[in-house]
């Protein structure tokens, strides 16, 4: 990761660490509030939850006119479409799972996405993980696919437009659909509106699925290794998972190996 300075490198290295000894190195660069890749573990411990966070499980405030309280917040996903009926649901992370993005210009970017931050347009340089096209197409055949990222929609939505040429993602969920829990944006699978025994999450960050580790297919964080074959290597596992009535036993076997 030659393009990153020392401080940013420290943040990256913390992906695989759960300790907080590097807290003092936390960078408040323009990167940090932006990509979810900077969000891991204690990176966001000082940031309050977003004010418009609809995913909080608190009941709505009582209404002025004394009308009865509203039903609980609705599910994150719409009803299953006819084409996806009977399929298991795979929840797919974006940053460091499918792509790696940075503000540092790189000559081999797959996409360059302009994103406005505080009135200034910044170019975001996006690298696709090797075999991501084949992986996404296969996922689209086998599952109901949902993109679920802790990044902001103004970055992740245009990236998803460029990445998903096949319309694989039936829904896209962004930061506001996460639950802010102990300094992390957590993807609470119970809020999707799908049977949990039919839901799989693939994510490079274990903190993202801390509420549902038994539904997870862990994946190594990816930054720029062009020889990486992780996505290709995972396809046989997902082929198996797509045929399971209940994904838990297969995933448990995977964990105990
Ligand atoms: Mg990620």
């Amino acid at each position: 990761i030659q393009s990153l300075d020392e401080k940013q490198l420290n943040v990256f290295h913390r992906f695989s660490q759960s300790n907080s000894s590097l807290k003092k190195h936390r960078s408040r660069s323009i990167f940090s509030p932006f990509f979810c890749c900077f969000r891991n573990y204690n990176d966001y411990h000082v940031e309050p939850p977003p004010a418009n966070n609809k995913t909080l499980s608190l009941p709505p405030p009582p209404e002025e006119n004394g009308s009865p309280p509203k039903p609980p917040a609705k599910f994150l996903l719409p009803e299953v479409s006819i084409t996806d009926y009977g399929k298991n649901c795979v929840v797919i992370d974006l940053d460091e799972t499918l792509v790696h993005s940075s503000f540092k210009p790189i000559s081999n970017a797959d996409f360059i996405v302009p994103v406005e931050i505080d009135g200034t347009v910044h170019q975001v340089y996006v690298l696709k993980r090797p075999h991501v096209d084949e992986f996404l197409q296969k996922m689209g055949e086998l599952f109901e696919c949902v993109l679920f990222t802790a990044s902001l929609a103004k970055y992740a939505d245009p990236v998803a437009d460029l990445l998903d040429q096949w319309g694989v993602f039936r829904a896209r969920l962004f930061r506001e659909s996460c639950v802010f829990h102990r300094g992390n944006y957590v993807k609470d699978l119970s809020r999707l509106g799908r049977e949990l025994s039919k839901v799989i999450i693939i994510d490079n960050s274990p903190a993202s699925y801390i509420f549902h580790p038994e539904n997870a297919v862990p994946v190594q964080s990816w930054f720029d290794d062009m020889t990486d074959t992780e996505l290709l290597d995972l396809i046989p596992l997902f082929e198996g998972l797509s045929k399971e009535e209940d994904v838990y036993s297969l995933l448990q076997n995977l964990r105990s190996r």
Side-chain angles (χ1 to χ4, degrees), residues 150-181:
S151 288
L152 298 178
K154 64 179 172 179
Y155 148 74
D157 210 26
V159 171
D161 287 340
L162 293 162
L163 188 65
D164 182 12
Q165 306 155 51
W166 313 274
V168 163
F169 295 127
R170 297 295 193 252
R172 299 175 184 178
L173 302 173
F174 306 103
R175 181 174 297 179
E176 66 274 11
S177 297
C178 297
V179 175
F180 194 73
H181 172 79

Side-chain angles (χ1 to χ4, degrees), residues 11 31 41 55 59 65 80-81 88 92 129 140-141 166 184 192-193 202 230 234 252:
V11 178
F31 299 96
Y41 300 112
T55 66
N65 60 13
V80 185
S81 72
N88 291 337
I92 306 177
R129 189 172 197 159
E141 288 169 23
W166 313 274
N184 293 298
L192 293 172
I202 173 168
E230 187 101 353
L234 283 169
Q252 192 177 353

Side-chain angles (χ1 to χ4, degrees), residues 15 36-37 39-40 93-97 187 203-205 208:
F15 277 96
C36 75
C37 61
R39 140 198 76 75
N40 287 290
D93 174 49
L94 181 63
D95 293 291
E96 283 68 66
T97 296
K187 299 164 186 176
D203 202 307
N204 69 298
S205 166
S208 298

Side-chain angles (χ1 to χ4, degrees), residues 10-253:
N10 280 332
V11 178
F12 277 116
H13 286 157
R14 294 186 50 207
F15 277 96
S16 52
Q17 300 166 13
S18 57
N19 70 67
S20 55
S21 63
L22 290 168
K23 248 183 202 172
K24 60 179 182 295
H25 293 300
R26 170 157 163 68
S27 161
R28 290 300 303 180
S29 74
I30 56 170
F31 299 96
S32 46
F34 207 71
F35 303 126
C36 75
C37 61
F38 285 89
R39 140 198 76 75
N40 287 290
Y41 300 112
N42 298 304
D43 278 349
Y44 265 80
H45 67 288
V46 292
E47 187 173 299
N52 62 345
N53 191 339
K54 293 173 191 154
T55 66
L56 290 175
S57 53
L58 298 171
E63 297 203 356
E64 297 282 340
N65 60 13
S67 61
K70 288 178 185 148
K74 66 183 187 107
F75 292 124
L76 294 171
L77 297 180
E79 279 190 38
V80 185
S81 72
I82 293 166
T83 46
D84 290 331
Y85 189 80
K87 289 181 179 173
N88 291 337
C89 176
V90 67
V91 172
I92 306 177
D93 174 49
L94 181 63
D95 293 291
E96 283 68 66
T97 296
L98 301 181
V99 302
H100 173 64
S101 297
S102 108
F103 288 100
K104 286 270 169 131
I106 48 169
S107 57
N108 59 334
D110 290 291
F111 317 127
I112 301 174
V113 179
V115 178
E116 189 246 291
I117 307 164
D118 296 334
T120 307
V121 175
H122 299 265
Q123 307 299 329
V124 176
Y125 297 83
V126 184
L127 263 187
K128 281 159 64 170
R129 189 172 197 159
H131 312 290
V132 66
D133 289 345
E134 186 180 347
F135 179 78
L136 277 183
Q137 283 178 85
K138 196 71 192 175
M139 292 298 103
E141 288 169 23
L142 298 174
F143 297 95
E144 179 194 20
C145 296
V146 176
L147 180 74
F148 201 162
T149 173
S151 288
L152 298 178
K154 64 179 172 179
Y155 148 74
D157 210 26
V159 171
D161 287 340
L162 293 162
L163 188 65
D164 182 12
Q165 306 155 51
W166 313 274
V168 163
F169 295 127
R170 297 295 193 252
R172 299 175 184 178
L173 302 173
F174 306 103
R175 181 174 297 179
E176 66 274 11
S177 297
C178 297
V179 175
F180 194 73
H181 172 79
R182 297 187 180 176
N184 293 298
Y185 290 105
V186 178
K187 299 164 186 176
D188 183 353
L189 304 181
S190 68
R191 305 208 62 241
L192 293 172
R194 295 291 181 270
E195 228 178 291
L196 279 172
S197 62
K198 298 182 180 304
V199 174
I200 303 140
I201 180 169
I202 173 168
D203 202 307
N204 69 298
S205 166
S208 298
Y209 50 77
I210 198 161
F211 297 163
H212 301 95
E214 63 285 357
N215 292 82
V217 171
V219 62
Q220 282 292 321
S221 297
W222 182 80
F223 301 101
D224 60 2
D225 175 11
M226 289 305 176
T227 68
D228 176 272
T229 60
E230 187 101 353
L231 294 178
L232 200 60
D233 298 342
L234 283 169
I235 288 176
L237 170 65
F238 279 101
E239 283 173 333
L241 286 166
S242 72
K243 298 176 190 125
E244 293 288 314
E245 193 73 23
D246 174 321
V247 300
Y248 288 130
S249 60
L250 188 44
L251 290 178
Q252 192 177 353
N253 288 344

